[in-house]
Amino acid sequence: MGVYLVDVGAEEWFGEDEDEGGRAKIAAGLNAELVRRGLPRYDSVPAAADFVRGSGRSFEEKLVPSMNSFLTLCKAYLSEAETDLLCGWSVLVPVSLDEEIELPIESSYSDSTLIVGAPQVLAIAEKLATAVELPPEAPEMCDNLDLTSWFLDGTAEKLAATRPGPWGEDLNAAFYVALYLRAAQHSLRRGCPMIYT
């Protein structure tokens, strides 16, 4: 149990299976709003990739640590609007959106679906990564809880002992910085949506 952040392949994104949250309604609603804004439709969702450890073709991370210190970090470095954009979405898409899109469609943890663009989330996450000096050793390919494990199994703590810096002073906050950074990077690299499940 718990909350996971995962990528979504074309079959699930366009599928009508209610067990998958009726994501076809979200896909249709998103495309209608993109057209209304004069933007191209988002139809080029790749198929779900077979699991190959370290390939960077799939994404799955579990939101285990408390977010309290991360939200404090956001208050220190971000505007309220930036914090809302970074933390408030239901669906992340590899489309540049000047304004988020809210659809009256139930999502996994809300009565509505808030869609934001990965380029915008990436810019905010990069700002935080710079502020905390996130180390390059933080896993980039997050296909099997790699990032979650790295922060929780002691690897990050060991690195922080030999390479102190702002990131190592609060590993819970650093985890969420890395999580949002890697999620946005993955969405853009693979061209896929990201959701909480």
Side-chain angles (χ1 to χ4, degrees), residues 32-76:
E33 183 60 23
L34 290 174
V35 169
R36 191 189 72 76
R37 294 183 183 191
L39 298 170
R41 291 168 55 88
Y42 174 48
D43 291 324
S44 58
V45 180
D50 291 333
F51 174 73
V52 178
R53 181 178 291 283
S55 70
R57 298 183 63 210
S58 57
F59 189 103
E60 179 186 17
E61 295 294 345
K62 187 174 184 180
L63 283 66
V64 178
S66 166
M67 289 189 79
N68 291 340
S69 60
F70 173 69
L71 295 174
T72 299
L73 179 72
C74 289
K75 286 181 183 178

Side-chain angles (χ1 to χ4, degrees), residues 1-145:
M1 297 297 291
V3 179
Y4 291 81
L5 179 56
V6 300
D7 59 359
V8 179
E11 183 177 29
E12 184 180 346
W13 183 245
F14 296 112
E16 298 286 352
D17 187 344
E18 286 302 319
D19 289 340
E20 295 174 351
R23 297 204 175 92
K25 294 176 184 175
I26 296 173
L30 169 62
N31 279 333
E33 183 60 23
L34 290 174
V35 169
R36 191 189 72 76
R37 294 183 183 191
L39 298 170
R41 291 168 55 88
Y42 174 48
D43 291 324
S44 58
V45 180
D50 291 333
F51 174 73
V52 178
R53 181 178 291 283
S55 70
R57 298 183 63 210
S58 57
F59 189 103
E60 179 186 17
E61 295 294 345
K62 187 174 184 180
L63 283 66
V64 178
S66 166
M67 289 189 79
N68 291 340
S69 60
F70 173 69
L71 295 174
T72 299
L73 179 72
C74 289
K75 286 181 183 178
Y77 289 98
L78 305 177
S79 68
E80 187 175 339
E82 288 174 320
T83 300
D84 290 345
L85 183 68
L86 182 65
C87 303
W89 53 268
S90 316
V91 178
L92 182 69
V93 292
V95 176
S96 185
L97 297 173
D98 290 337
E99 292 181 9
E100 65 270 14
I101 294 172
E102 186 167 9
L103 302 175
I105 300 169
E106 187 175 338
S107 58
S108 296
Y109 298 97
S110 177
D111 292 336
S112 63
T113 296
L114 189 67
I115 303 171
V116 301
Q120 287 71 31
V121 167
L122 179 61
I124 297 168
E126 286 177 337
K127 191 173 177 180
L128 288 179
T130 298
V132 301
E133 299 173 19
L134 188 70
E137 288 87 350
E140 291 184 39
M141 304 307 167
C142 305
D143 50 23
N144 188 33
L145 306 177

Side-chain angles (χ1 to χ4, degrees), residues 124-170:
I124 297 168
E126 286 177 337
K127 191 173 177 180
L128 288 179
T130 298
V132 301
E133 299 173 19
L134 188 70
E137 288 87 350
E140 291 184 39
M141 304 307 167
C142 305
D143 50 23
N144 188 33
L145 306 177
D146 293 330
L147 196 61
T148 304
S149 297
W150 192 80
F151 273 95
L152 297 183
D153 70 3
T155 305
E157 190 174 0
K158 289 174 187 172
L159 182 63
T162 59
R163 189 167 339 133
W167 76 277
E169 294 167 11
D170 190 327

